[in-house]
Amino acid sequence: MEFLDLKTQQKRIRKPLEKRINKILDHGAYIMGPEVFELEEKLADYCGVKHAISCSSGTDALLIPLMAWGIGPGDAVFTTPFTYVATAEVISILGATPVFVDVYNTTFNIDCAKLELEIERVLHEGKLKPKAIIPVDLFGLPARYRLIKKIAEKYNLKLIEDAAQSFGGAIRNEKVGTFGDVAATSFYPAKPLGCYGDGGAIFTNDDNLAEECKAIRIHGTKLDKYNSEMIGLNGRLDSMQAAVLLEKLTIFDEELEMRNEVNSYYRKYLNNAQYHPKEYQSAYALFSIVLGSNNKRENLIDRLSKEKIPSVIYYKFPIHLMKAFQYLGYQKGSLPFSENLSQSIISLPMHPYLSKADIDFIINTIQSK
Ligand SMILES: Cc1ncc(COP(=O)(O)O)c(C=O)c1O
């Protein structure tokens, strides 16, 4: 059994993908070739957003808009510590300060009441200027954007959706990618829509921001390739990866439905999974359950591995307790839900091709103590 089965998927798209790759080998436009623009158009259509700007990774998809807004030293950017490190890393890279807000222990997404308290605390303290919020759509579940948007508007903050895991998700039929000033997704191979390398995309309805992001992605250049107008990056997606994504997009909605079925089947037997509020559609990037303690988790990992059932811990270390972020001065106990989840959560196999027989076997293993 695989934690994530990319081989079955590849069999389905292999022939048309080879055709697309051969076409690239023939035309030779490996960088910014026609596949990149075709993909961007299809991604924008898919999300119902004006601009989709492909880029080299989910990390760069977060970094580039922050650069476009000029976020830097003295600025506070609010996010959660229970996420992949990239979410906070991009803030620190720019010299701005990540301010961590705890998550709900039901959805594992940013707690809106605590977010507002933290913004007020930072304002009251007067050392940093609140500039942006990066909510994370953890495991594919969109955060509470209706509330978060109100907070962003109240305090005049930019809102950037970390949709690395949630491309394909929705709230009340409104697709992920449209909730903030900008959204950032990742096409890392393990993501619901993944390429065969690194990749990402930025989504926005803001024409000016889109122009700035496009420039930053290519070394800050606009009209003249050799005359940078601002500091940028080598942040492009290559044509081969765009070709992979174009083929995967043709089966993406069907795969999303299959993931949904896997998720529902698991939930018939397990009541300790991430809570999905009504009208929120997850992209089902991961299926995670919470056990009472690290001991119980260790015990389960043992039993699963004896049966050759793979499992992974997302995330074992909350970001505020990582060595790299010690400089921020957070102590153990400061963000309790994130810390507890890190101690007790485990992710089980999740992919569109997981059979009911495999899920039955996983459930039986979990339930046979
Ligand atoms: C929540 C979150 N943010 C950001 C990223 C960064 O994406 P990438 O690995 O494509 O740079 C990831 C990817 O793992 C992620 O899960």
Side-chain angles (χ1 to χ4, degrees):
M1 192 187 308
E2 310 240 26
F3 187 78
L4 170 68
D5 176 6
L6 292 174
K7 288 188 198 126
T8 307
Q9 180 197 52
Q10 192 187 94
K11 276 189 204 137
R12 294 186 62 190
I13 57 162
R14 179 99 185 201
K15 280 223 168 87
L17 177 58
E18 282 178 356
K19 234 171 140 180
R20 275 197 181 270
I21 287 176
N22 284 334
K23 209 166 152 194
I24 297 171
L25 294 176
D26 288 341
H27 70 50
Y30 305 118
I31 302 287
M32 299 313 279
E35 292 74 15
V36 171
F37 299 102
E38 185 184 344
L39 175 71
E40 290 181 338
E41 213 165 285
K42 291 200 167 136
L43 290 174
D45 269 3
Y46 186 89
C47 298
V49 76
K50 253 171 114 175
H51 306 280
I53 302 146
S54 63
C55 62
S56 48
S57 68
T59 307
D60 284 348
L62 289 166
L63 181 62
I64 290 171
L66 295 177
M67 288 172 77
W69 289 324
I71 285 176
D75 294 338
V77 180
F78 300 83
T79 190
T80 78
F82 191 59
T83 171
Y84 185 58
V85 67
T87 316
E89 196 176 40
V90 293
I91 305 166
S92 294
I93 285 172
L94 294 174
T97 302
V99 178
F100 293 115
V101 178
D102 211 352
V103 295
Y104 295 114
N105 67 349
T106 47
T107 61
F108 318 150
N109 283 338
I110 196 162
D111 180 322
C112 299
K114 288 180 183 158
L115 169 63
E116 192 156 2
L117 284 175
E118 273 306 279
I119 297 169
E120 287 286 351
R121 186 189 61 76
V122 169
L123 283 171
H124 183 74
E125 218 173 62
K127 288 187 191 150
L128 297 169
K129 201 160 181 261
K131 277 288 176 68
I133 311 169
I134 312 184
V136 180
D137 301 342
L138 206 75
F139 305 152
L141 177 73
R144 296 179 81 181
Y145 287 100
R146 217 161 34 167
L147 290 178
I148 298 168
K149 250 187 199 166
K150 280 193 187 140
I151 297 171
E153 278 162 17
K154 179 172 170 188
Y155 294 96
N156 195 24
L157 305 178
K158 299 288 187 195
L159 177 53
I160 167 165
E161 176 185 5
D162 185 340
Q165 303 178 6
S166 62
F167 181 84
I171 305 177
R172 292 171 208 91
N173 296 325
E174 218 184 301
K175 288 266 190 224
V176 154
T178 56
F179 302 132
D181 294 295
V182 64
T185 200
S186 165
F187 300 131
Y188 181 78
K191 300 297 190 229
L193 180 66
C195 53
Y196 291 156
D198 276 310
I202 300 160
F203 301 92
T204 185
N205 282 316
D206 179 333
D207 297 340
N208 287 333
L209 181 68
E211 283 315 301
E212 296 302 287
C213 289
K214 281 183 193 167
I216 291 170
R217 153 179 87 166
I218 311 183
H219 299 289
T221 55
K222 284 187 176 169
L223 296 173
D224 186 332
K225 193 175 161 189
Y226 296 106
N227 190 5
S228 295
E229 298 188 24
M230 65 193 88
I231 299 298
L233 303 168
N234 177 354
R236 297 166 295 225
L237 181 81
D238 64 69
S239 308
M240 294 277 187
Q241 299 307 336
V244 174
L245 291 163
L246 280 165
E247 282 314 316
K248 288 204 187 185
L249 254 184
T250 64
I251 55 169
F252 183 67
D253 272 342
E254 188 191 334
E255 287 194 338
L256 207 55
E257 190 45 45
M258 291 157 85
R259 283 178 182 275
N260 187 2
E261 279 169 22
V262 168
N263 167 75
S264 303
Y265 198 66
Y266 264 129
R267 278 170 196 265
K268 272 191 187 170
Y269 305 97
L270 299 173
N271 59 8
N272 49 352
Q274 179 186 34
Y275 172 65
H276 288 178
K278 240 170 84 181
E279 301 187 301
Y280 278 61
Q281 198 202 328
S282 175
Y284 313 105
L286 290 164
F287 186 86
S288 308
I289 55 172
V290 182
L291 301 149
S293 66
N294 190 28
N295 278 348
K296 285 189 184 158
R297 178 169 69 183
E298 289 297 316
N299 178 292
L300 178 59
I301 292 171
D302 266 2
R303 285 186 286 123
L304 292 170
S305 55
K306 271 188 197 129
E307 299 294 345
K308 300 201 164 36
I309 299 170
S311 63
V312 185
I313 299 173
Y314 298 106
Y315 295 94
K316 205 168 184 176
F317 302 100
I319 298 178
H320 65 292
L321 300 181
M322 288 181 183
K323 190 174 167 199
F325 290 85
Q326 258 174 14
Y327 75 98
L328 294 170
Y330 284 90
Q331 303 297 320
K332 227 178 177 168
S334 53
L335 296 152
F337 288 147
S338 298
E339 291 170 34
N340 285 343
L341 285 167
S342 299
Q343 288 288 310
S344 57
I345 201 162
I346 183 172
S347 294
L348 303 172
M350 166 48 100
H351 58 82
Y353 307 98
L354 193 64
S355 68
K356 282 194 170 153
D358 278 347
I359 305 173
D360 284 338
F361 184 57
I362 296 167
I363 306 272
N364 286 337
T365 308
I366 292 173
Q367 291 176 343
S368 66
K369 295 209 176 128

Short mmCIF file of all heavy atoms in Angstrom, two decimals, residues 111-147:
data_model
loop_
_atom_site.label_atom_id
_atom_site.label_comp_id
_atom_site.label_asym_id
_atom_site.label_seq_id
_atom_site.Cartn_x
_atom_site.Cartn_y
_atom_site.Cartn_z
N ASP A 111 -7.35 30.57 14.16
CA ASP A 111 -8.45 30.94 15.05
C ASP A 111 -8.68 32.45 14.90
O ASP A 111 -7.81 33.26 15.24
CB ASP A 111 -8.05 30.57 16.49
CG ASP A 111 -9.12 30.93 17.51
OD1 ASP A 111 -9.77 31.98 17.36
OD2 ASP A 111 -9.29 30.15 18.47
N CYS A 112 -9.86 32.82 14.40
CA CYS A 112 -10.12 34.21 14.05
C CYS A 112 -10.17 35.13 15.27
O CYS A 112 -9.75 36.29 15.19
CB CYS A 112 -11.40 34.32 13.23
SG CYS A 112 -11.27 33.40 11.70
N ALA A 113 -10.69 34.63 16.38
CA ALA A 113 -10.75 35.47 17.59
C ALA A 113 -9.33 35.75 18.08
O ALA A 113 -8.98 36.89 18.43
CB ALA A 113 -11.56 34.77 18.67
N LYS A 114 -8.50 34.71 18.06
CA LYS A 114 -7.10 34.89 18.50
C LYS A 114 -6.32 35.77 17.53
O LYS A 114 -5.42 36.50 17.92
CB LYS A 114 -6.43 33.52 18.66
CG LYS A 114 -6.95 32.79 19.88
CD LYS A 114 -6.31 31.44 20.07
CE LYS A 114 -6.92 30.73 21.27
NZ LYS A 114 -6.73 29.29 21.21
N LEU A 115 -6.68 35.67 16.25
CA LEU A 115 -6.02 36.53 15.25
C LEU A 115 -6.23 37.99 15.60
O LEU A 115 -5.29 38.78 15.63
CB LEU A 115 -6.58 36.21 13.85
CG LEU A 115 -6.19 37.17 12.72
CD1 LEU A 115 -4.67 37.16 12.50
CD2 LEU A 115 -6.91 36.80 11.42
N GLU A 116 -7.47 38.34 15.89
CA GLU A 116 -7.77 39.74 16.19
C GLU A 116 -7.07 40.19 17.47
O GLU A 116 -6.53 41.29 17.55
CB GLU A 116 -9.29 39.96 16.27
CG GLU A 116 -9.62 41.43 16.29
CD GLU A 116 -11.02 41.78 15.81
OE1 GLU A 116 -11.80 40.87 15.48
OE2 GLU A 116 -11.31 42.99 15.78
N LEU A 117 -7.04 39.29 18.47
CA LEU A 117 -6.33 39.62 19.72
C LEU A 117 -4.85 39.89 19.47
O LEU A 117 -4.26 40.82 20.02
CB LEU A 117 -6.46 38.46 20.72
CG LEU A 117 -7.81 38.30 21.42
CD1 LEU A 117 -7.82 37.05 22.29
CD2 LEU A 117 -8.11 39.55 22.26
N GLU A 118 -4.25 39.08 18.60
CA GLU A 118 -2.81 39.24 18.31
C GLU A 118 -2.55 40.55 17.56
O GLU A 118 -1.56 41.23 17.81
CB GLU A 118 -2.29 38.06 17.49
CG GLU A 118 -1.82 36.88 18.30
CD GLU A 118 -0.78 37.26 19.36
OE1 GLU A 118 0.41 37.38 19.00
OE2 GLU A 118 -1.15 37.43 20.52
N ILE A 119 -3.44 40.87 16.63
CA ILE A 119 -3.28 42.14 15.89
C ILE A 119 -3.35 43.30 16.89
O ILE A 119 -2.50 44.21 16.87
CB ILE A 119 -4.35 42.29 14.79
CG1 ILE A 119 -4.21 41.18 13.74
CG2 ILE A 119 -4.26 43.66 14.12
CD1 ILE A 119 -5.37 41.07 12.75
N GLU A 120 -4.33 43.23 17.78
CA GLU A 120 -4.47 44.29 18.80
C GLU A 120 -3.23 44.36 19.69
O GLU A 120 -2.76 45.44 20.02
CB GLU A 120 -5.72 44.03 19.67
CG GLU A 120 -7.03 44.30 18.96
CD GLU A 120 -7.33 45.80 18.79
OE1 GLU A 120 -6.60 46.62 19.37
OE2 GLU A 120 -8.28 46.13 18.05
N ARG A 121 -2.72 43.20 20.06
CA ARG A 121 -1.53 43.16 20.93
C ARG A 121 -0.34 43.84 20.25
O ARG A 121 0.36 44.66 20.84
CB ARG A 121 -1.19 41.71 21.30
CG ARG A 121 -0.06 41.58 22.33
CD ARG A 121 0.42 40.15 22.52
NE ARG A 121 0.96 39.56 21.31
CZ ARG A 121 2.14 39.83 20.80
NH1 ARG A 121 2.94 40.69 21.39
NH2 ARG A 121 2.55 39.24 19.68
N VAL A 122 -0.14 43.50 18.97
CA VAL A 122 0.99 44.07 18.23
C VAL A 122 0.82 45.58 18.09
O VAL A 122 1.78 46.35 18.27
CB VAL A 122 1.13 43.38 16.84
CG1 VAL A 122 2.11 44.12 15.95
CG2 VAL A 122 1.57 41.93 17.02
N LEU A 123 -0.41 46.01 17.81
CA LEU A 123 -0.66 47.46 17.69
C LEU A 123 -0.39 48.17 19.01
O LEU A 123 0.25 49.22 19.06
CB LEU A 123 -2.12 47.70 17.27
CG LEU A 123 -2.44 47.46 15.80
CD1 LEU A 123 -3.95 47.52 15.57
CD2 LEU A 123 -1.73 48.47 14.90
N HIS A 124 -0.85 47.55 20.10
CA HIS A 124 -0.70 48.14 21.42
C HIS A 124 0.79 48.23 21.80
O HIS A 124 1.24 49.23 22.36
CB HIS A 124 -1.48 47.30 22.44
CG HIS A 124 -1.44 47.85 23.81
ND1 HIS A 124 -2.19 48.96 24.16
CD2 HIS A 124 -0.74 47.49 24.92
CE1 HIS A 124 -1.94 49.25 25.42
NE2 HIS A 124 -1.07 48.39 25.92
N GLU A 125 1.51 47.19 21.46
CA GLU A 125 2.94 47.14 21.79
C GLU A 125 3.72 48.21 21.00
O GLU A 125 4.71 48.76 21.50
CB GLU A 125 3.47 45.75 21.44
CG GLU A 125 4.48 45.20 22.41
CD GLU A 125 4.81 43.76 22.06
OE1 GLU A 125 5.34 43.52 20.96
OE2 GLU A 125 4.51 42.88 22.89
N GLY A 126 3.27 48.44 19.77
CA GLY A 126 3.83 49.54 18.97
C GLY A 126 5.20 49.32 18.36
O GLY A 126 5.80 50.26 17.83
N LYS A 127 5.72 48.09 18.43
CA LYS A 127 7.06 47.86 17.87
C LYS A 127 7.01 47.50 16.39
O LYS A 127 7.92 47.80 15.63
CB LYS A 127 7.75 46.71 18.63
CG LYS A 127 8.16 47.10 20.04
CD LYS A 127 8.98 45.98 20.65
CE LYS A 127 9.20 46.19 22.14
NZ LYS A 127 9.33 44.93 22.85
N LEU A 128 5.96 46.77 16.02
CA LEU A 128 5.85 46.30 14.63
C LEU A 128 4.59 46.86 14.01
O LEU A 128 3.62 47.16 14.71
CB LEU A 128 5.76 44.76 14.60
CG LEU A 128 6.96 43.98 15.12
CD1 LEU A 128 6.58 42.50 15.27
CD2 LEU A 128 8.16 44.12 14.19
N LYS A 129 4.64 46.95 12.67
CA LYS A 129 3.46 47.45 11.95
C LYS A 129 2.73 46.26 11.32
O LYS A 129 3.29 45.59 10.44
CB LYS A 129 3.95 48.39 10.86
CG LYS A 129 2.91 49.33 10.40
CD LYS A 129 3.54 50.55 9.71
CE LYS A 129 2.40 51.46 9.29
NZ LYS A 129 1.98 51.40 7.96
N PRO A 130 1.49 45.97 11.75
CA PRO A 130 0.76 44.87 11.11
C PRO A 130 0.56 45.14 9.62
O PRO A 130 0.11 46.23 9.24
CB PRO A 130 -0.59 44.86 11.85
CG PRO A 130 -0.31 45.49 13.16
CD PRO A 130 0.74 46.54 12.88
N LYS A 131 0.91 44.16 8.78
CA LYS A 131 0.83 44.39 7.33
C LYS A 131 0.00 43.34 6.59
O LYS A 131 -0.66 43.67 5.62
CB LYS A 131 2.26 44.37 6.73
CG LYS A 131 3.01 45.67 6.83
CD LYS A 131 2.46 46.72 5.88
CE LYS A 131 3.11 48.08 6.00
NZ LYS A 131 4.50 48.11 5.58
N ALA A 132 0.10 42.08 7.02
CA ALA A 132 -0.57 41.04 6.22
C ALA A 132 -0.95 39.85 7.09
O ALA A 132 -0.40 39.65 8.18
CB ALA A 132 0.36 40.60 5.09
N ILE A 133 -1.90 39.07 6.55
CA ILE A 133 -2.30 37.81 7.20
C ILE A 133 -2.10 36.70 6.17
O ILE A 133 -2.47 36.86 5.00
CB ILE A 133 -3.80 37.81 7.60
CG1 ILE A 133 -4.16 39.09 8.35
CG2 ILE A 133 -4.14 36.58 8.43
CD1 ILE A 133 -5.69 39.27 8.53
N ILE A 134 -1.49 35.60 6.61
CA ILE A 134 -1.39 34.42 5.73
C ILE A 134 -2.12 33.25 6.39
O ILE A 134 -1.52 32.46 7.11
CB ILE A 134 0.07 34.00 5.44
CG1 ILE A 134 0.95 35.19 5.04
CG2 ILE A 134 0.09 32.92 4.35
CD1 ILE A 134 2.38 34.83 4.66
N PRO A 135 -3.43 33.12 6.15
CA PRO A 135 -4.12 31.93 6.66
C PRO A 135 -3.71 30.73 5.81
O PRO A 135 -3.43 30.88 4.62
CB PRO A 135 -5.61 32.24 6.44
CG PRO A 135 -5.67 33.66 5.99
CD PRO A 135 -4.34 34.00 5.42
N VAL A 136 -3.68 29.57 6.44
CA VAL A 136 -3.27 28.35 5.73
C VAL A 136 -4.50 27.45 5.61
O VAL A 136 -5.23 27.26 6.58
CB VAL A 136 -2.17 27.62 6.51
CG1 VAL A 136 -1.74 26.35 5.79
CG2 VAL A 136 -0.99 28.55 6.75
N ASP A 137 -4.72 26.91 4.42
CA ASP A 137 -5.84 25.97 4.22
C ASP A 137 -5.30 24.56 4.49
O ASP A 137 -4.94 23.82 3.57
CB ASP A 137 -6.36 26.05 2.78
CG ASP A 137 -6.85 27.45 2.42
OD1 ASP A 137 -7.11 28.25 3.34
OD2 ASP A 137 -6.97 27.72 1.21
N LEU A 138 -5.25 24.21 5.77
CA LEU A 138 -4.51 23.01 6.14
C LEU A 138 -5.16 21.72 5.66
O LEU A 138 -6.37 21.52 5.81
CB LEU A 138 -4.29 22.96 7.65
CG LEU A 138 -3.05 22.14 8.00
CD1 LEU A 138 -1.77 22.89 7.69
CD2 LEU A 138 -3.06 21.68 9.43
N PHE A 139 -4.34 20.87 5.11
CA PHE A 139 -4.73 19.55 4.58
C PHE A 139 -5.77 19.67 3.46
O PHE A 139 -6.41 18.68 3.09
CB PHE A 139 -5.26 18.63 5.70
CG PHE A 139 -4.31 18.46 6.85
CD1 PHE A 139 -4.78 18.17 8.13
CD2 PHE A 139 -2.93 18.57 6.68
CE1 PHE A 139 -3.90 18.01 9.21
CE2 PHE A 139 -2.05 18.42 7.74
CZ PHE A 139 -2.54 18.14 9.01
N GLY A 140 -5.97 20.90 2.95
CA GLY A 140 -6.91 21.10 1.85
C GLY A 140 -8.17 21.84 2.24
O GLY A 140 -8.96 22.23 1.38
N LEU A 141 -8.37 22.05 3.56
CA LEU A 141 -9.60 22.71 4.04
C LEU A 141 -9.42 24.23 4.09
O LEU A 141 -8.57 24.73 4.83
CB LEU A 141 -9.95 22.20 5.44
CG LEU A 141 -11.18 22.87 6.06
CD1 LEU A 141 -12.46 22.38 5.39
CD2 LEU A 141 -11.24 22.61 7.56
N PRO A 142 -10.24 24.97 3.34
CA PRO A 142 -10.11 26.43 3.38
C PRO A 142 -10.33 26.98 4.79
O PRO A 142 -11.15 26.45 5.56
CB PRO A 142 -11.22 26.92 2.43
CG PRO A 142 -11.53 25.76 1.55
CD PRO A 142 -11.27 24.53 2.38
N ALA A 143 -9.60 28.05 5.10
CA ALA A 143 -9.77 28.73 6.40
C ALA A 143 -11.08 29.54 6.37
O ALA A 143 -11.76 29.58 5.35
CB ALA A 143 -8.57 29.62 6.67
N ARG A 144 -11.40 30.20 7.48
CA ARG A 144 -12.69 30.92 7.57
C ARG A 144 -12.57 32.31 6.95
O ARG A 144 -12.48 33.32 7.64
CB ARG A 144 -13.11 31.05 9.04
CG ARG A 144 -13.39 29.72 9.68
CD ARG A 144 -13.77 29.91 11.13
NE ARG A 144 -15.17 30.28 11.30
CZ ARG A 144 -15.71 30.51 12.49
NH1 ARG A 144 -14.99 30.46 13.58
NH2 ARG A 144 -16.99 30.82 12.58
N TYR A 145 -12.62 32.35 5.62
CA TYR A 145 -12.29 33.60 4.93
C TYR A 145 -13.31 34.71 5.15
O TYR A 145 -12.96 35.89 5.09
CB TYR A 145 -12.03 33.34 3.45
CG TYR A 145 -10.69 32.66 3.29
CD1 TYR A 145 -10.61 31.30 3.10
CD2 TYR A 145 -9.52 33.39 3.47
CE1 TYR A 145 -9.37 30.67 3.05
CE2 TYR A 145 -8.28 32.77 3.42
CZ TYR A 145 -8.22 31.41 3.21
OH TYR A 145 -6.99 30.80 3.18
N ARG A 146 -14.59 34.34 5.37
CA ARG A 146 -15.58 35.41 5.57
C ARG A 146 -15.18 36.26 6.79
O ARG A 146 -15.20 37.48 6.74
CB ARG A 146 -16.96 34.79 5.78
CG ARG A 146 -18.02 35.62 5.13
CD ARG A 146 -19.32 34.93 4.89
NE ARG A 146 -19.67 33.95 5.90
CZ ARG A 146 -20.89 33.43 5.98
NH1 ARG A 146 -21.82 33.79 5.13
NH2 ARG A 146 -21.17 32.52 6.88
N LEU A 147 -14.78 35.58 7.85
CA LEU A 147 -14.36 36.30 9.06
C LEU A 147 -12.99 36.95 8.89
O LEU A 147 -12.76 38.08 9.30
CB LEU A 147 -14.30 35.33 10.25
CG LEU A 147 -15.63 34.80 10.77
CD1 LEU A 147 -15.40 33.82 11.92
CD2 LEU A 147 -16.47 35.97 11.25
#
